[in-house]
Amino acid sequence: MKTAIRTFSILIVILMLICSFPIFSYASYEEYSFYGTEGKTEYFIIHTNAYDEITEGYIVHGEIPGMWLEISGGATLGLAGVPTEDGEYVVDITMTTVGLGTVDYRVTVYVNPAESSEGVPVVTKNPTSETVIEGDSATFIARANNARQYVWEIALADAALTCEEAAAYFGKGVSFTGYNTDTLVIHNIPEELNGAYVWCQFVGAEESVTSTVAQLTVTPAEKATPVVTKNPTDETVEVGGQAVFVAKAKYAQSYCWQLVSPEGVRYNCSVAADDFKGLTVYGANTEQIVLDNIPIELNGYRIRCIFTAGEDASSEMAHLYVIEKDSEKDPDATPAQSPDVSQAPSETETPADNPVNSKPPKNNGETDEKTPQKPEAEEPSAAPETDDGGAKNNTIIIVAIIAGAAVAIAAIGAFVFLKLKGKI
């Protein structure tokens, strides 16, 4: 009897431990920065990514004199109180949400010195001028002690308005974020904003103060120097086979692919089919070039792409290796040897270093009339397999363990009951 009761108790403990193990969990680590004023009560609201209300919040380490945490529900947490010293304070906050485990936040609180009796903001940082390429983003930062509100403004020759309403005025996909914080970001900047002036107005308790003015300079994309973002890679093909090379550059207005012999002779790919019998070229003036029906003569050649905008830029060289078709079938056969490239020019040489087909034409992105249409793009590689099945199997196993434990407990309970009744 005692043994049955002891076994029953152990099973109950095991079941409670299993049930307390979280099948689903949620983890996040977010960072926030806030500004407060010494001697003032401040409320900083943190919005979590959780779907349930916060049930617990506390400071794990770090202290803010006179400041405490305040939970307001609805998945928000506030910091309130009266800081007694100015300075920078870092606080780690752990919040427990219903059904989603714990969510961690790191909060940096910058406490400014106490306000002057006049309540006038004191500028501590002015924005600096920025130069960007058309379509890029620009960031402006300004700060002031005692500021209760930040209002960013922008002006051109014919308009001066707040950045909150500027997006609708300028159009062209431009957008403004952080226009009521100390950091303003202008996204997708059009050329029309070249020469614009930007500044921040700090609103205090009694007065407002304005930062110095910063200027925005916008360079048209066609005048920018291309920035290479992808270089072509080496290819090995059989005689008569096909090779695909891809190169990309930001701000590129036109593309010109070149074949370079081991001796350093350059051939613009748009006319290379005239120099190599049977060769077919697609996309010689695009970011992807396809060489088809490749002859053995191209073994050991290199290929690169010249990007043209305000200035020219070149991708790195990629090698093309061509082998005989029956080399893989005959074990005694060896691949065609690459010619000696010891005398080949440096990959960093400019097209003007060689007189043969040296300078790629600036065609503003138009393809050569002899260039066939670009073939269909390569098929994307299959998406990597995920381990969702493993997660589902783990969940099924846990549920099965719980069910089995419940059945065992029920059986033991029935056994004990019948034993007590004297029927066993």
Side-chain angles (χ1 to χ4, degrees):
M1 180 65 180
K2 291 182 179 179
T3 301
I5 294 175
R6 186 182 300 110
T7 303
F8 182 78
S9 301
I10 293 173
L11 288 175
I12 290 177
V13 172
I14 293 174
L15 181 60
M16 291 176 63
L17 291 174
I18 293 174
C19 293
S20 64
F21 182 82
I23 299 176
F24 304 102
S25 63
Y26 177 84
S28 174
Y29 194 90
E30 302 288 345
E31 293 189 2
Y32 290 86
S33 294
F34 296 116
Y35 296 86
T37 302
E38 180 182 352
K40 297 292 182 180
T41 300
E42 305 284 3
Y43 292 89
F44 309 115
I45 302 301
I46 300 173
H47 295 272
T48 74
N49 292 325
Y51 297 100
D52 296 350
E53 291 188 0
I54 296 172
T55 58
E56 184 179 6
Y58 54 92
I59 297 177
V60 177
H61 65 77
E63 295 181 358
I64 301 178
M67 183 169 280
W68 64 88
L69 301 180
E70 182 177 279
I71 300 173
S72 59
T76 62
L77 180 73
L79 296 176
V82 183
T84 57
E85 298 179 9
D86 64 298
E88 177 180 321
Y89 300 91
V90 178
V91 177
D92 279 356
I93 300 174
T94 297
M95 294 171 286
T96 302
T97 61
V98 177
L100 295 178
T102 59
V103 184
D104 295 326
Y105 288 85
R106 169 156 292 176
V107 180
T108 302
V109 180
Y110 300 93
V111 179
N112 298 322
E115 294 180 358
S116 63
S117 58
E118 295 80 14
V120 179
V122 178
V123 179
T124 59
K125 179 176 176 58
N126 285 296
T128 57
S129 297
E130 296 289 333
T131 299
V132 298
I133 305 298
E134 177 186 0
D136 282 352
S137 300
T139 301
F140 299 91
I141 300 175
R143 296 192 180 105
N145 292 334
N146 308 327
R148 291 301 187 186
Q149 185 180 1
Y150 294 85
V151 180
W152 284 92
E153 300 182 54
I154 186 170
L156 286 171
D158 59 345
L161 60 165
T162 66
C163 291
E164 183 176 7
E165 58 188 358
Y169 179 86
F170 293 117
K172 295 183 178 296
V174 63
S175 62
F176 297 77
T177 58
Y179 47 77
N180 58 354
T181 71
D182 61 7
T183 303
L184 169 72
V185 182
I186 308 177
H187 308 270
N188 193 29
I189 299 174
E191 186 179 354
E192 287 76 4
L193 288 186
N194 181 46
Y197 293 99
V198 178
W199 66 91
C200 185
Q201 180 182 168
F202 307 101
V203 180
E206 299 178 12
E207 286 188 38
S208 295
V209 174
T210 301
S211 72
T212 58
V213 175
Q215 188 170 25
L216 176 61
T217 301
V218 185
T219 301
E222 61 269 16
K223 295 183 180 180
T225 299
V227 178
V228 179
T229 58
K230 179 176 177 56
N231 288 293
T233 56
D234 297 347
E235 291 287 340
T236 300
V237 298
E238 292 184 342
V239 174
Q242 183 183 92
V244 179
F245 300 92
V246 178
K248 297 180 181 180
K250 193 175 182 180
Y251 312 127
Q253 299 297 303
S254 63
Y255 304 80
C256 179
W257 286 89
Q258 290 183 336
L259 280 167
V260 182
S261 73
E263 297 75 28
V265 180
R266 292 176 171 83
Y267 301 84
N268 285 344
C269 290
S270 58
V271 294
D274 298 336
D275 298 292
F276 302 96
K277 185 177 180 181
L279 177 66
T280 302
V281 180
Y282 304 93
N285 299 111
T286 68
E287 64 183 22
Q288 175 177 286
I289 187 171
V290 179
L291 305 180
D292 201 9
N293 195 27
I294 299 174
I296 191 65
E297 289 85 354
L298 288 182
N299 179 49
Y301 272 62
R302 293 169 295 161
I303 190 169
R304 69 174 181 177
C305 186
I306 305 297
F307 308 100
T308 302
E311 300 289 340
D312 290 349
S314 173
S315 72
E316 295 179 359
M317 295 278 194
H319 290 82
L320 175 61
Y321 300 107
V322 186
I323 60 176
E324 297 288 354
K325 286 186 177 181
D326 58 351
S327 62
E328 295 181 357
K329 301 177 183 179
D330 184 356
D332 297 327
T334 57
Q337 297 298 316
S338 301
D340 183 12
V341 296
S342 60
Q343 303 300 320
S346 168
E347 295 185 3
T348 59
E349 289 179 354
T350 61
D353 295 331
N354 191 288
V356 180
N357 289 318
S358 60
K359 181 65 176 178
K362 294 188 178 182
N363 52 21
N364 296 323
E366 297 179 0
T367 58
D368 192 280
E369 293 181 358
K370 297 181 180 180
T371 304
Q373 293 296 318
K374 177 180 175 182
E376 293 183 1
E378 299 177 273
E379 294 184 2
S381 58
E385 297 182 359
T386 64
D387 59 354
D388 291 344
K392 293 179 179 178
N393 290 337
N394 291 338
T395 303
I396 292 174
I397 292 173
I398 293 174
V399 173
I401 292 174
I402 295 174
V407 171
I409 291 172
I412 293 173
F415 174 80
V416 173
F417 177 81
L418 296 175
K419 186 72 175 178
L420 294 175
K421 292 293 186 176
K423 294 185 178 182
I424 297 181

